[in-house]
Amino acid sequence: MPSDPVLPVLSVVVPCFNEAEGLPGFHERLQAVMTAIGLAWEVVYVNDGSRDRTLSVIDRLRAVPGSGAVACLNLSRNFGKEIALTAGLDHARGTGACIVIDADLQDPPEVIAALVDAWREGIDMVYAQRRARQGDSWLKRLTAKAFYRLMRRIGDRVVMPPDTGDFRLISRRAVNSLLALRERHRFMKGLFAWIGYPARAVLYDRDPRVGGRSSFSYWSLWNFALEGITSFTVVPLRVATYIGLLVALFSIVYGGFLVIRTLAFGNPVPGYPSLMAVITFLGGVQLVTLGVVGEYLGRIFNETKQRPLYVVERFEAARTVGDRT
Ligand code: UDP
Ligand code: MG
């Protein structure tokens, strides 16, 4: 009879989408780091509907004796990183803390030791902050900077640290708070910030990707930014109202001016171009504001369906607990 499995203290959650190439190397480095930390640990690999051999690579890691405690969570299709992350946290058993890290070695596993040190000092949310963004183009750096500045101004009390990804350590109580937020549109950076708790940054250098390629294009980053804004603030709705007010005010003033001009100089019927200009401008303003309202309406639509966030094809918990001292 197997005795009750001892629960791990630390869970490492790794979302994987087409990462077959780099995963064995990642696991090796992770294992070395976790063993050195010396707490009971497990790693939860979430296969997010990969189209390559990622799943069989994870299964192979599970089979290798002495490769630590490996759990495999296979989602029924690709749900996207944010959902995969949530699924992994749902299935992580770590009693002390969970660590979220990318599989592509852009987040060096060695930083985990520093994250754990901060957690030992009682910090609930230890996020790894990029010291430099080498490997990113200047355009990506510029847009990222603009986004964080915008979010700080309209983010309504929720402050998101800049140059921070999902790579971080989250204490058990913070994970529980995070998992209570079941919204479908999951802007994780925002959710991490929303729950609060003592937080601290640990600086690190982000490495370029090993193998495979990034699944985020500029278009998806743009959508990501929209997601971030619309799921954390209703300021754009208010801006739409103000634009409407401003345009209305302007047309009242302009109307008054026309009345006075007609009284003073008569009406020689010019003004077709200015009429077209005003009509097209107003049409544009209306479409934009309608679009803004539509963005929020679409989100309400998605939330009201109350679907589960993801579907699990199979979950195999770690059989053992990784190296304990
Ligand atoms: N990822 C995922 N599902 C997706 C896209 C990405 O689980 O639909 C994972 C991917 O395997 C990696 C992490 O999310 O571990 C970050 O992805 P990527 O490296 O493509 O993003 P970037 O580093 O360019 O922001
Ligand atoms: Mg990456």
Side-chain angles (χ1 to χ4, degrees), residues 19 81 102-107 140 206-211 213-216:
E19 302 283 4
K81 185 189 176 185
D102 283 1
D104 58 8
L105 286 173
Q106 274 189 297
D107 306 333
K140 192 161 177 180
R206 189 166 169 85
D207 298 329
R209 212 173 206 292
V210 297
R213 44 195 219 87
S214 171
S215 18
F216 294 94

Side-chain angles (χ1 to χ4, degrees), residues 14-19 23 26 46-51 54 75 78-85 101-107 130 136 140 165-166 189 206-207 209 211-217 221 224:
V14 190
C16 306
F17 177 62
N18 298 344
E19 302 283 4
L23 211 53
F26 169 82
V46 185
N47 178 36
D48 185 19
S50 299
R51 286 182 277 273
T54 302
L75 301 182
N78 178 251
F79 280 88
K81 185 189 176 185
E82 321 272 311
I83 301 270
L85 207 66
I101 185 169
D102 283 1
D104 58 8
L105 286 173
Q106 274 189 297
D107 306 333
R130 290 189 279 270
D136 280 351
K140 192 161 177 180
D166 294 327
K189 280 190 239 295
R206 189 166 169 85
D207 298 329
R209 212 173 206 292
R213 44 195 219 87
S214 171
S215 18
F216 294 94
S217 60
L221 285 177
F224 194 56

Side-chain angles (χ1 to χ4, degrees), residues 190-270:
L191 299 183
F192 289 141
W194 186 89
I195 59 173
Y197 290 120
R200 183 188 294 170
V202 167
L203 292 176
Y204 78 112
D205 292 310
R206 189 166 169 85
D207 298 329
R209 212 173 206 292
V210 297
R213 44 195 219 87
S214 171
S215 18
F216 294 94
S217 60
Y218 278 111
W219 176 242
S220 53
L221 285 177
W222 163 253
N223 284 320
F224 194 56
L226 277 192
E227 194 73 63
I229 292 168
T230 48
S231 53
F232 269 86
T233 162
V234 291
V235 166
L237 291 175
R238 207 171 305 147
V239 170
T241 313
Y242 284 120
I243 292 178
L245 275 179
L246 220 71
V247 172
L249 200 73
F250 172 76
S251 50
I252 288 172
V253 172
Y254 187 60
F257 164 74
L258 286 185
V259 168
I260 292 168
R261 196 182 64 176
T262 311
L263 289 180
F265 304 107
N267 185 10
V269 201

